[in-house]
Amino acid sequence: MAEDPPVFKTFTKCCQESGFLMVVKCQQENAALKQCLTTYYNDPAFYEECKIEYLKQREEFRATGIPAKQRQQKLPTSM
């Protein structure tokens, strides 16, 4: 999933324009988004890709004891 499908942009735009009324006004866009996500969730290739990425991160955590989010942050330099 290199670039977001248009359905994501449509949903985001609708929500930004609607504010608190997005629950009512963006039902159609929300349904389209759910359908798109369901397609990805049911795709065996996507599942395997996510599984491999998870296992890689778990292996790195077990080796270093540092969560992935903290590993990606820059370490402060000495002053």
Side-chain angles (χ1 to χ4, degrees), residues 50-68:
C50 291
K51 185 173 103 176
I52 290 170
E53 184 177 335
Y54 165 75
L55 292 174
K56 180 183 170 201
Q57 289 178 0
R58 185 178 75 172
E59 180 182 354
E60 289 175 9
F61 173 74
R62 288 182 174 177
T64 62
I66 303 170

Side-chain angles (χ1 to χ4, degrees), residues 7-68:
V7 72
F8 287 107
K9 293 176 184 172
T10 305
F11 179 74
T12 301
K13 183 179 178 185
C14 179
C15 290
Q16 289 172 341
E17 292 173 354
S18 301
F20 289 113
L21 296 175
M22 72 180 152
V23 175
V24 177
K25 290 186 175 183
C26 300
Q27 289 180 359
Q28 190 174 14
E29 290 83 353
N30 188 33
L33 180 63
K34 285 181 183 178
Q35 180 62 36
C36 179
L37 291 173
T38 301
T39 304
Y40 279 104
Y41 293 149
N42 293 328
D43 181 14
F46 182 70
Y47 173 81
E48 284 300 315
E49 181 182 339
C50 291
K51 185 173 103 176
I52 290 170
E53 184 177 335
Y54 165 75
L55 292 174
K56 180 183 170 201
Q57 289 178 0
R58 185 178 75 172
E59 180 182 354
E60 289 175 9
F61 173 74
R62 288 182 174 177
T64 62
I66 303 170

